[in-house]
Coordinates of all heavy atoms in Angstrom, one line a residue:
M121 N 0.8 -1.2 0.0 CA 0.0 -0.1 0.0 C 0.9 1.3 0.0 O 1.9 1.3 0.7 CB -0.8 0.0 1.2 CG -1.8 1.0 1.1 SD -3.3 0.5 2.3 CE -4.5 1.5 1.6
T122 N 0.5 2.3 -0.8 CA 1.3 3.4 -0.8 C 1.1 4.3 0.4 O 0.1 4.4 1.0 CB 1.0 4.3 -2.2 OG1 -0.3 4.6 -2.1 CG2 1.1 3.5 -3.4
N123 N 2.0 5.1 0.5 CA 2.0 6.0 1.7 C 1.3 7.4 1.4 O 1.3 7.7 0.2 CB 3.4 6.2 2.4 CG 4.2 7.3 2.1 OD1 3.6 8.4 2.0 ND2 5.5 7.1 1.9
P124 N 0.6 7.9 2.3 CA -0.4 9.1 2.0 C 0.3 10.2 1.2 O -0.4 10.7 0.3 CB -0.9 9.5 3.3 CG -0.8 8.1 4.1 CD 0.3 7.5 3.6
P125 N 1.4 10.7 1.6 CA 2.1 11.8 0.8 C 2.1 11.4 -0.6 O 1.9 12.3 -1.6 CB 3.3 12.1 1.5 CG 3.3 11.6 2.8 CD 2.4 10.4 2.6
I126 N 2.8 10.3 -1.0 CA 2.8 9.8 -2.3 C 1.5 9.8 -3.1 O 1.4 10.3 -4.3 CB 3.6 8.5 -2.4 CG1 5.1 8.7 -1.9 CG2 3.6 7.9 -4.0 CD1 5.9 7.4 -1.9
Q127 N 0.5 9.3 -2.5 CA -0.8 9.0 -3.0 C -1.5 10.5 -3.3 O -1.9 10.7 -4.3 CB -1.6 8.4 -2.1 CG -3.0 7.9 -2.6 CD -3.8 7.1 -1.6 OE1 -3.4 6.9 -0.5 NE2 -4.8 6.6 -2.1
L128 N -1.3 11.4 -2.4 CA -1.7 12.7 -2.6 C -0.9 13.4 -3.7 O -1.6 14.2 -4.6 CB -1.4 13.6 -1.3 CG -1.9 15.0 -1.3 CD1 -3.3 15.3 -1.6 CD2 -1.4 15.8 -0.1
F129 N 0.4 13.2 -3.8 CA 1.2 13.8 -4.9 C 0.6 13.3 -6.2 O 0.5 14.3 -7.2 CB 2.7 13.4 -4.7 CG 3.6 14.0 -5.7 CD1 3.9 15.3 -5.8 CD2 4.2 13.1 -6.7 CE1 4.8 15.8 -6.7 CE2 4.9 13.5 -7.6 CZ 5.4 14.9 -7.6
R130 N 0.4 12.0 -6.3 CA -0.1 11.4 -7.7 C -1.4 11.9 -7.9 O -1.7 12.3 -9.0 CB 0.0 9.9 -7.5 CG 1.3 9.5 -7.6 CD 1.3 7.9 -7.5 NE 2.7 7.3 -7.5 CZ 2.9 6.1 -7.2 NH1 1.9 5.3 -6.8 NH2 4.1 5.6 -7.2
S131 N -2.3 12.2 -7.0 CA -3.7 12.7 -7.2 C -3.7 14.1 -7.7 O -4.4 14.6 -8.6 CB -4.4 12.5 -5.9 OG -4.7 11.2 -5.5
L132 N -2.7 14.9 -7.0 CA -2.6 16.4 -7.3 C -2.1 16.4 -8.7 O -2.6 17.3 -9.5 CB -1.7 17.0 -6.5 CG -2.3 17.4 -5.0 CD1 -1.2 17.7 -4.0 CD2 -3.3 18.5 -5.1
L133 N -1.1 15.7 -9.1 CA -0.6 15.7 -10.5 C -1.6 15.3 -11.5 O -1.8 15.9 -12.6 CB 0.6 14.9 -10.7 CG 2.0 15.4 -10.2 CD1 3.1 14.5 -10.4 CD2 2.2 16.8 -10.8
R134 N -2.4 14.3 -11.2 CA -3.5 13.7 -12.1 C -4.6 14.8 -12.3 O -5.0 15.1 -13.3 CB -4.0 12.5 -11.5 CG -4.8 11.7 -12.4 CD -5.5 10.4 -11.8 NE -4.4 9.6 -11.3 CZ -4.4 9.3 -10.0 NH1 -5.2 9.7 -9.1 NH2 -3.3 8.5 -9.5
E135 N -4.9 15.5 -11.3 CA -5.9 16.6 -11.4 C -5.4 17.8 -12.2 O -6.1 18.5 -12.9 CB -6.5 16.9 -10.0 CG -7.4 16.0 -9.5 CD -8.6 15.6 -10.3 OE1 -9.2 16.5 -10.9 OE2 -9.0 14.5 -10.3
A136 N -4.1 18.1 -11.9 CA -3.4 19.2 -12.6 C -3.3 18.9 -14.1 O -3.5 20.0 -14.8 CB -2.0 19.4 -12.0
K137 N -3.2 17.8 -14.4 CA -3.0 17.4 -15.9 C -4.4 17.5 -16.6 O -4.5 17.6 -17.8 CB -2.4 16.0 -16.2 CG -1.1 16.0 -15.7 CD -0.4 14.6 -15.9 CE 1.1 14.7 -15.6 NZ 1.8 13.4 -15.5
K138 N -5.5 17.7 -15.8 CA -6.9 17.7 -16.4 C -7.2 19.1 -16.7 O -8.3 19.3 -17.4 CB -7.9 17.1 -15.6 CG -7.8 15.6 -15.3 CD -8.9 15.2 -14.4 CE -8.8 13.7 -14.1 NZ -9.8 13.3 -13.2
M139 N -6.4 20.0 -16.4 CA -6.7 21.5 -16.6 C -6.7 21.8 -18.1 O -5.8 21.2 -18.8 CB -5.6 22.3 -15.9 CG -5.6 22.3 -14.5 SD -7.0 22.8 -13.6 CE -6.7 24.5 -13.5
D140 N -7.8 22.5 -18.6 CA -8.0 22.8 -20.0 C -6.9 23.8 -20.6 O -6.5 23.4 -21.5 CB -9.4 23.2 -20.2 CG -9.8 23.3 -21.6 OD1 -9.6 22.4 -22.4 OD2 -10.3 24.3 -21.9
N141 N -6.8 24.8 -19.8 CA -5.8 25.8 -20.3 C -4.3 25.5 -20.1 O -3.9 25.0 -19.0 CB -6.2 27.1 -19.5 CG -5.5 28.3 -20.1 OD1 -4.2 28.4 -20.2 ND2 -6.2 29.4 -20.5
Y142 N -3.6 25.6 -21.1 CA -2.1 25.3 -21.0 C -1.5 26.0 -19.9 O -0.7 25.4 -19.1 CB -1.4 25.6 -22.3 CG 0.1 25.4 -22.2 CD1 0.7 24.2 -22.4 CD2 1.0 26.5 -22.1 CE1 1.9 24.0 -22.4 CE2 2.3 26.4 -22.0 CZ 2.9 25.1 -22.2 OH 4.2 24.9 -22.0
N143 N -1.7 27.2 -19.7 CA -0.9 28.1 -18.6 C -1.3 27.7 -17.1 O -0.5 27.4 -16.5 CB -1.2 29.5 -18.9 CG -0.6 30.1 -20.1 OD1 0.6 29.6 -20.4 ND2 -1.2 31.0 -20.8
F144 N -2.5 27.4 -17.0 CA -3.1 26.9 -15.8 C -2.5 25.6 -15.5 O -2.2 25.2 -14.3 CB -4.6 26.9 -15.7 CG -5.2 28.3 -15.7 CD1 -6.4 28.5 -16.4 CD2 -4.6 29.3 -15.0 CE1 -7.0 29.6 -16.4 CE2 -5.2 30.7 -15.1 CZ -6.5 30.7 -15.7
R145 N -2.5 24.7 -16.6 CA -2.0 23.4 -16.2 C -0.6 23.3 -15.9 O -0.1 22.6 -15.0 CB -2.2 22.4 -17.6 CG -1.8 21.1 -17.4 CD -2.2 20.3 -18.7 NE -1.8 20.9 -20.0 CZ -2.6 21.3 -20.9 NH1 -3.9 21.3 -20.8 NH2 -2.1 21.8 -21.9
A146 N 0.3 24.1 -16.7 CA 1.7 24.2 -16.4 C 1.9 24.7 -15.0 O 2.7 24.2 -14.3 CB 2.4 25.0 -17.5
Y147 N 1.2 25.8 -14.6 CA 1.3 26.4 -13.3 C 1.0 25.4 -12.2 O 1.8 25.3 -11.2 CB 0.5 27.6 -13.2 CG 0.3 28.2 -11.8 CD1 1.4 28.9 -11.3 CD2 -0.7 28.0 -11.0 CE1 1.5 29.4 -9.9 CE2 -0.8 28.4 -9.7 CZ 0.3 29.2 -9.2 OH 0.3 29.6 -7.9
S148 N -0.1 24.6 -12.4 CA -0.6 23.8 -11.4 C 0.5 22.6 -11.2 O 0.8 22.2 -10.0 CB -1.9 23.1 -11.7 OG -2.9 24.2 -11.9
I149 N 1.0 22.1 -12.3 CA 1.9 21.0 -12.2 C 3.2 21.5 -11.4 O 3.8 20.9 -10.6 CB 2.3 20.4 -13.6 CG1 1.0 19.6 -14.0 CG2 3.5 19.6 -13.5 CD1 1.1 19.2 -15.4
R150 N 3.7 22.7 -11.9 CA 4.9 23.3 -11.3 C 4.6 23.6 -9.8 O 5.5 23.3 -8.9 CB 5.3 24.6 -12.0 CG 6.5 25.2 -11.6 CD 6.9 26.4 -12.4 NE 5.9 27.4 -12.3 CZ 5.2 27.8 -13.4 NH1 5.3 27.2 -14.6 NH2 4.3 28.8 -13.3
R151 N 3.5 24.0 -9.4 CA 3.1 24.3 -8.0 C 3.2 23.0 -7.2 O 3.7 23.0 -6.0 CB 1.8 25.1 -8.0 CG 1.2 25.3 -6.7 CD 1.3 26.6 -6.2 NE 0.9 26.6 -4.6 CZ 0.2 27.5 -4.1 NH1 -0.1 28.5 -4.8 NH2 -0.1 27.2 -2.9
V152 N 2.6 22.0 -7.7 CA 2.5 20.8 -7.0 C 4.0 20.3 -6.7 O 4.3 19.8 -5.7 CB 1.8 19.7 -7.8 CG1 1.9 18.3 -7.2 CG2 0.2 20.1 -7.8
K153 N 4.7 20.3 -7.7 CA 6.2 19.8 -7.5 C 7.0 20.6 -6.5 O 7.7 20.1 -5.7 CB 6.9 19.6 -8.9 CG 6.3 18.5 -9.8 CD 7.0 18.6 -11.1 CE 6.4 17.4 -12.0 NZ 7.0 17.4 -13.2
T154 N 6.9 21.9 -6.7 CA 7.7 22.8 -5.8 C 7.1 22.7 -4.3 O 7.9 22.8 -3.4 CB 7.7 24.1 -6.2 OG1 6.4 24.7 -6.3 CG2 8.5 24.3 -7.6
G155 N 5.8 22.6 -4.1 CA 5.3 22.4 -2.8 C 5.7 21.2 -2.2 O 6.0 21.2 -1.0
F156 N 5.8 20.1 -2.8 CA 6.3 18.8 -2.3 C 7.8 18.9 -1.9 O 8.2 18.4 -1.0 CB 5.9 17.6 -3.0 CG 4.6 17.0 -2.8 CD1 3.5 17.6 -3.3 CD2 4.5 16.1 -2.0 CE1 2.2 17.1 -2.9 CE2 3.3 15.5 -1.5 CZ 2.2 16.1 -2.0
K157 N 8.6 19.7 -2.9 CA 10.1 19.6 -2.7 C 10.3 20.6 -1.3 O 11.2 20.3 -0.7 CB 10.7 20.4 -3.9 CG 10.9 19.3 -5.0 CD 11.6 20.1 -6.1 CE 11.7 19.1 -7.2 NZ 12.3 19.9 -8.4
M158 N 9.4 21.6 -1.1 CA 9.6 22.5 0.0 C 9.3 21.8 1.3 O 9.9 22.0 2.4 CB 8.8 23.8 -0.2 CG 9.3 24.7 -1.2 SD 8.3 26.1 -1.4 CE 7.4 26.3 0.1
N159 N 8.2 20.8 1.3 CA 7.9 20.3 2.4 C 8.3 18.8 2.6 O 7.8 18.0 3.6 CB 6.2 20.2 2.5 CG 5.6 21.7 2.5 OD1 6.3 22.6 3.1 ND2 4.6 21.9 1.8
K160 N 9.4 18.4 2.0 CA 9.8 17.0 2.0 C 10.3 16.6 3.3 O 10.4 15.5 3.8 CB 10.8 16.7 0.9 CG 12.1 17.3 1.1 CD 13.0 17.0 -0.1 CE 14.5 17.7 0.1 NZ 15.3 17.5 -1.0
D161 N 10.8 17.7 4.2 CA 11.5 17.3 5.5 C 10.6 17.5 6.6 O 11.2 17.5 7.7 CB 12.8 18.2 5.6 CG 13.8 17.8 4.5 OD1 13.9 16.6 4.0 OD2 14.6 18.7 4.0
L162 N 9.4 17.7 6.4 CA 8.4 18.0 7.6 C 8.2 16.7 8.3 O 8.2 15.6 7.7 CB 7.1 18.5 7.0 CG 7.3 20.0 6.3 CD1 5.7 20.4 6.0 CD2 7.8 20.9 7.5
S163 N 7.9 16.9 9.6 CA 7.5 15.6 10.4 C 6.5 16.0 11.5 O 6.5 17.1 11.8 CB 8.8 15.1 10.9 OG 9.4 15.9 11.8
G164 N 5.9 15.1 12.0 CA 4.9 15.3 13.1 C 3.7 16.2 12.7 O 3.1 16.0 11.7
N165 N 3.4 17.2 13.7 CA 2.2 17.9 13.5 C 2.4 18.8 12.2 O 1.4 19.0 11.5 CB 2.0 18.9 14.5 CG 1.6 18.1 15.8 OD1 1.1 17.0 15.6 ND2 1.8 18.7 17.0
E166 N 3.6 19.3 11.7 CA 3.7 20.1 10.6 C 3.3 19.2 9.4 O 2.8 19.7 8.4 CB 5.1 20.6 10.5 CG 5.6 21.6 11.6 CD 7.1 21.9 11.4 OE1 7.8 21.1 10.9 OE2 7.4 23.1 11.8
A167 N 3.8 17.9 9.3 CA 3.4 17.0 8.2 C 2.0 16.8 8.2 O 1.4 16.8 7.0 CB 4.1 15.8 8.3
T168 N 1.3 16.7 9.3 CA -0.1 16.4 9.2 C -0.9 17.6 8.7 O -1.7 17.3 7.9 CB -0.5 16.1 10.7 OG1 0.3 15.0 11.2 CG2 -2.0 15.7 10.6
S169 N -0.5 18.8 9.1 CA -1.1 20.0 8.7 C -0.9 20.2 7.2 O -1.7 20.7 6.5 CB -0.8 21.1 9.5 OG 0.6 21.4 9.3
A170 N 0.4 20.0 6.7 CA 0.7 20.0 5.3 C -0.2 19.0 4.5 O -0.6 19.4 3.3 CB 2.1 19.8 5.0
L171 N -0.4 17.8 5.0 CA -1.2 16.8 4.2 C -2.6 17.3 4.2 O -3.3 17.2 3.1 CB -1.1 15.5 4.9 CG -0.1 14.6 4.5 CD1 0.0 13.3 5.3 CD2 -0.1 14.3 3.0
A172 N -3.1 17.9 5.3 CA -4.5 18.4 5.3 C -4.7 19.6 4.3 O -5.6 19.6 3.5 CB -4.9 18.8 6.7
E173 N -3.6 20.5 4.2 CA -3.7 21.6 3.2 C -3.6 21.0 1.8 O -4.2 21.6 0.9 CB -2.4 22.5 3.5 CG -2.5 23.7 2.6 CD -1.3 24.6 2.9 OE1 -0.7 24.6 4.0 OE2 -1.0 25.4 1.9
G174 N -2.7 20.0 1.7 CA -2.8 19.3 0.4 C -4.1 18.7 -0.1 O -4.4 18.9 -1.3
H175 N -4.8 18.2 0.8 CA -6.1 17.6 0.5 C -7.1 18.7 0.0 O -8.0 18.6 -0.8 CB -6.6 16.7 1.5 CG -6.0 15.4 1.7 ND1 -6.3 14.3 0.8 CD2 -5.2 14.9 2.6 CE1 -5.5 13.3 1.0 NE2 -4.8 13.6 2.1
Q176 N -7.0 19.8 0.8 CA -7.8 21.1 0.4 C -7.4 21.6 -1.0 O -8.4 21.9 -1.8 CB -7.6 22.2 1.4 CG -8.3 21.9 2.7 CD -7.9 23.1 3.7 OE1 -7.0 23.8 3.5 NE2 -8.5 22.9 4.9
Q177 N -6.1 21.5 -1.3 CA -5.6 21.9 -2.6 C -6.1 20.9 -3.7 O -6.5 21.4 -4.8 CB -4.1 22.1 -2.7 CG -3.6 23.1 -1.8 CD -3.9 24.4 -2.4 OE1 -4.0 24.8 -3.5 NE2 -4.3 25.4 -1.4
L178 N -6.1 19.7 -3.4 CA -6.7 18.7 -4.4 C -8.2 19.0 -4.5 O -8.6 18.9 -5.8 CB -6.5 17.3 -3.7 CG -7.0 16.1 -4.6 CD1 -6.4 16.1 -6.0 CD2 -7.0 14.8 -3.9
E179 N -9.1 19.3 -3.6 CA -10.3 19.5 -3.8 C -10.6 20.8 -4.6 O -11.3 20.8 -5.5 CB -11.1 19.8 -2.5 CG -11.2 18.5 -1.7 CD -11.9 17.4 -2.4 OE1 -12.9 17.6 -3.2 OE2 -11.4 16.2 -2.5
M180 N -9.7 21.7 -4.4 CA -9.7 23.1 -5.2 C -9.4 22.7 -6.7 O -9.9 23.2 -7.6 CB -8.7 24.0 -4.6 CG -8.8 25.4 -5.4 SD -7.7 25.7 -6.8 CE -6.2 25.0 -6.1
L181 N -8.3 21.9 -6.9 CA -8.0 21.6 -8.3 C -9.0 20.7 -9.0 O -9.3 21.0 -10.2 CB -6.6 20.7 -8.3 CG -5.3 21.3 -8.5 CD1 -4.2 20.4 -8.4 CD2 -5.2 22.1 -9.8
K182 N -9.7 19.9 -8.3 CA -10.9 19.1 -8.9 C -11.9 20.1 -9.4 O -12.5 20.0 -10.5 CB -11.5 18.1 -8.0 CG -10.6 17.0 -7.6 CD -11.3 16.0 -6.6 CE -10.3 14.8 -6.5 NZ -11.0 13.8 -5.5
R183 N -12.2 21.1 -8.6 CA -13.3 22.1 -8.9 C -12.9 23.0 -10.1 O -13.5 23.2 -11.0 CB -13.6 23.0 -7.6 CG -14.4 22.3 -6.6 CD -14.9 23.4 -5.6 NE -13.8 24.1 -5.0 CZ -13.2 23.8 -3.8 NH1 -13.5 22.7 -3.2 NH2 -12.3 24.7 -3.4
Q184 N -11.6 23.3 -10.1 CA -11.0 24.2 -11.3 C -11.0 23.4 -12.5 O -11.3 24.0 -13.6 CB -9.6 24.8 -10.9 CG -9.6 25.8 -9.9 CD -10.4 27.0 -10.1 OE1 -10.3 27.4 -11.3 NE2 -11.1 27.6 -9.2
A185 N -10.7 22.1 -12.4 CA -10.5 21.2 -13.7 C -12.0 21.0 -14.2 O -12.4 21.2 -15.4 CB -10.0 19.9 -13.3
M186 N -13.1 20.9 -13.3 CA -14.4 20.7 -13.8 C -15.0 22.1 -14.5 O -15.6 22.0 -15.4 CB -15.3 20.3 -12.6 CG -16.6 20.1 -12.9 SD -17.8 19.6 -11.7 CE -17.6 21.1 -10.4
L187 N -14.7 23.2 -13.8 CA -15.0 24.5 -14.4 C -14.3 24.6 -15.7 O -14.9 25.3 -16.6 CB -14.7 25.6 -13.4 CG -15.6 25.8 -12.3 CD1 -15.1 26.9 -11.3 CD2 -17.0 26.2 -12.8
G188 N -13.1 24.2 -15.8 CA -12.5 24.5 -17.2 C -13.0 23.5 -18.2 O -13.0 24.0 -19.4
Q189 N -13.5 22.4 -17.9 CA -14.2 21.6 -18.9 C -15.5 22.2 -19.3 O -16.0 22.0 -20.4 CB -14.3 20.1 -18.4 CG -12.9 19.5 -18.2 CD -13.0 18.2 -17.5 OE1 -14.1 17.7 -17.1 NE2 -11.9 17.5 -17.4
L190 N -16.3 22.8 -18.3 CA -17.6 23.3 -18.6 C -17.5 24.6 -19.5 O -18.3 24.8 -20.3 CB -18.2 23.7 -17.3 CG -18.8 22.6 -16.3 CD1 -19.3 23.2 -15.0 CD2 -19.8 21.7 -17.0
Y191 N -16.5 25.3 -19.3 CA -16.2 26.7 -20.1 C -14.9 26.4 -20.8 O -13.9 27.2 -20.4 CB -16.3 27.8 -19.1 CG -17.6 27.9 -18.4 CD1 -17.7 27.6 -17.1 CD2 -18.7 28.3 -19.1 CE1 -18.8 27.6 -16.4 CE2 -19.9 28.3 -18.5 CZ -20.0 28.0 -17.1 OH -21.1 28.1 -16.4
P192 N -14.7 25.7 -21.8 CA -13.5 25.6 -22.4 C -12.9 26.9 -23.1 O -13.9 27.6 -23.6 CB -13.7 24.5 -23.5 CG -15.1 24.5 -23.7 CD -15.8 24.9 -22.5
S193 N -11.7 27.1 -23.1 CA -11.0 28.3 -23.7 C -10.5 27.9 -25.1 O -10.4 26.8 -25.5 CB -10.1 28.8 -22.8 OG -9.0 27.9 -22.7
V194 N -10.2 28.9 -25.9 CA -9.5 28.8 -27.2 C -8.2 28.1 -26.9 O -7.4 28.5 -26.0 CB -9.4 30.1 -27.9 CG1 -8.7 30.0 -29.3 CG2 -10.8 30.6 -28.0
K195 N -7.7 27.2 -27.8 CA -6.5 26.6 -27.7 C -5.3 27.6 -27.9 O -5.6 28.4 -28.9 CB -6.3 25.4 -28.7 CG -7.3 24.2 -28.7 CD -7.0 23.4 -27.5 CE -7.9 22.2 -27.3 NZ -7.8 21.4 -26.2
S196 N -4.4 27.5 -27.0 CA -3.3 28.4 -27.3 C -2.2 27.9 -28.3 O -2.4 26.8 -28.8 CB -2.4 28.6 -25.9 OG -1.6 27.4 -25.6
V197 N -1.3 28.7 -28.7 CA -0.3 28.3 -29.6 C 0.5 27.1 -29.3 O 0.8 26.3 -30.0 CB 0.7 29.5 -30.0 CG1 1.8 29.2 -30.8 CG2 -0.1 30.7 -30.4
M198 N 0.6 27.0 -28.0 CA 1.5 25.9 -27.4 C 0.7 24.5 -27.6 O 1.3 23.5 -27.4 CB 1.8 26.0 -25.8 CG 2.6 27.2 -25.6 SD 4.3 27.1 -26.3 CE 5.0 25.8 -25.3
Q199 N -0.7 24.6 -27.8 CA -1.5 23.3 -27.8 C -1.7 22.9 -29.2 O -2.2 21.7 -29.4 CB -2.8 23.6 -27.0 CG -2.6 23.7 -25.5 CD -3.9 24.1 -24.8 OE1 -4.6 24.9 -25.3 NE2 -4.1 23.4 -23.7
T200 N -1.6 23.8 -30.1 CA -2.0 23.4 -31.5 C -0.9 22.5 -32.1 O 0.3 22.7 -31.7 CB -2.2 24.7 -32.4 OG1 -0.9 25.4 -32.3 CG2 -3.3 25.4 -31.9
S201 N -1.3 21.5 -32.9 CA -0.3 20.6 -33.5 C -0.1 21.0 -34.9 O -0.6 21.7 -35.7 CB -0.7 19.3 -33.5 OG -2.0 19.1 -33.4

């Protein structure tokens, strides 16, 4: 069984990749990675509160991804093939 921080990290990345807009998607992925790098040495109560904040961020990302799918934007130059 995976440990909770790794599971949270994967869930956050999965939701970040669902973002419709290229800029929002890139920002979300970058923010997830840097947040976990900054908090990698936490332990005890600090780690517990960081996990709780991470779950709140996950719920926010889910809402944002859903809104992005409801109101799609025009594809940017980075997304066209």
Side-chain angles (χ1 to χ4, degrees):
M121 185 156 205
T122 60
N123 103 40
I126 294 172
Q127 188 176 9
L128 178 62
F129 180 73
R130 289 179 180 167
S131 296
L132 283 165
L133 281 180
R134 193 176 307 117
E135 287 301 319
K137 289 177 182 178
K138 291 181 183 177
M139 299 293 277
D140 187 46
N141 188 304
Y142 172 80
N143 291 323
F144 292 146
R145 184 173 53 248
Y147 171 76
S148 298
I149 291 170
R150 186 174 61 246
R151 169 101 190 223
V152 168
K153 289 179 180 180
T154 57
F156 270 82
K157 283 180 186 177
M158 286 176 28
N159 295 326
K160 70 179 178 180
D161 296 325
L162 294 180
S163 62
N165 290 337
E166 292 175 335
T168 305
S169 65
L171 273 175
E173 183 180 341
H175 284 289
Q176 290 175 350
Q177 294 294 321
L178 176 62
E179 293 302 317
M180 186 269 310
L181 263 178
K182 286 180 180 179
R183 289 191 301 272
Q184 290 297 322
M186 184 178 60
L187 282 174
Q189 291 171 358
L190 289 174
Y191 304 103
S193 60
V194 178
K195 298 284 184 189
S196 73
V197 175
M198 299 296 290
Q199 292 175 315
T200 57
S201 34

